[in-house]
Amino acid sequence: VSCVKFAKKGQVLFSASFDGTVKAWDLIRYRNFRTFTAAERVKFGSLAVDPSGEVVCAASQDTFDIYVWSVQTAQLVDTLSGHTGPVSCLAFGVENTVLASASWDKTVRVWSIFGRSGHVEPFDIHNDVLSLAMRPDSKQLAVSTLNGQIQFWDIEEGKQVGNIDGRKDVIVGR
């Protein structure tokens, strides 16, 4: 199991695994009640659940694609392609149902899941992206990179709006 995420109400836990499955777990009975898979067997390294709990997404370490399933039907509804390296993390915004994906290809992409299109052009980060977080209003992203930087990006404008240099902390091991 490579990643776990709670659904909004906290009674369901989703897990993604290198065995090619995403599973939904009932936390009242502690049982698996849904299993999601892709058409071909791939390793899932990151996971996100939309705020409504209707959609679950997982990113493949093999194909660099993001798979989108309906939680109700367990059907694969979309495959998002565009990254050219492993997707390191996924995050949904609370508003506007946008999904952000960060990759070792040195980009962050923002997807409109229900609109079926990329929200803006990819953000060029210039370093491998390790982690990202979306502000609850879905207007800004924080992105951490392999070189110790935390960058802040305006999602609507597609522009960097701030930076924290953490390299000194990384060098001395704090």
Side-chain angles (χ1 to χ4, degrees):
V1 174
S2 59
C3 191
V4 292
K5 299 280 181 177
F6 281 104
K8 184 177 180 182
K9 295 181 182 174
Q11 296 176 340
V12 175
L13 179 77
F14 292 90
S15 64
S17 176
F18 290 150
D19 72 358
T21 63
V22 173
K23 295 184 178 184
W25 302 90
D26 176 348
L27 295 182
I28 295 171
R29 295 178 191 88
Y30 292 100
R31 286 193 283 192
N32 170 239
F33 69 91
R34 222 41 111 247
T35 301
F36 309 91
T37 59
E40 67 281 350
R41 188 175 183 141
V42 294
K43 295 178 184 175
F44 292 118
S46 53
L47 176 70
V49 182
D50 88 302
S52 70
E54 295 177 16
V55 171
V56 62
C57 301
S60 166
Q61 295 287 308
D62 305 317
T63 64
F64 316 138
D65 291 335
I66 301 164
Y67 297 86
V68 182
W69 295 274
S70 164
V71 173
Q72 289 289 346
T73 66
Q75 295 294 315
L76 182 65
V77 294
D78 204 357
T79 303
L80 307 174
S81 300
H83 284 294
T84 59
V87 177
S88 55
C89 51
L90 300 170
F92 268 105
V94 176
E95 297 178 16
N96 303 330
T97 315
V98 293
L99 174 71
S101 59
S103 174
W104 291 3
D105 67 5
K106 302 177 179 152
T107 65
V108 169
R109 292 177 180 265
V110 179
W111 312 86
S112 176
I113 293 297
F114 295 112
R116 296 182 54 92
S117 65
H119 193 263
V120 294
E121 291 296 313
F123 305 161
D124 191 13
I125 306 298
H126 302 294
N127 275 289
D128 294 346
V129 179
L130 301 176
S131 181
L132 70 85
M134 190 175 305
R135 207 167 72 183
D137 64 4
S138 303
K139 296 194 182 293
Q140 197 173 73
L141 286 172
V143 177
S144 71
T145 61
L146 190 59
N147 73 340
Q149 301 289 312
I150 301 172
Q151 300 175 5
F152 298 91
W153 289 79
D154 181 293
I155 291 175
E156 292 176 1
E157 298 293 322
K159 295 183 179 175
Q160 186 176 348
V161 294
N163 188 59
I164 295 173
D165 187 356
R167 282 182 286 192
K168 293 177 186 171
D169 293 333
V170 172
I171 291 170
V172 295
R174 287 187 277 167

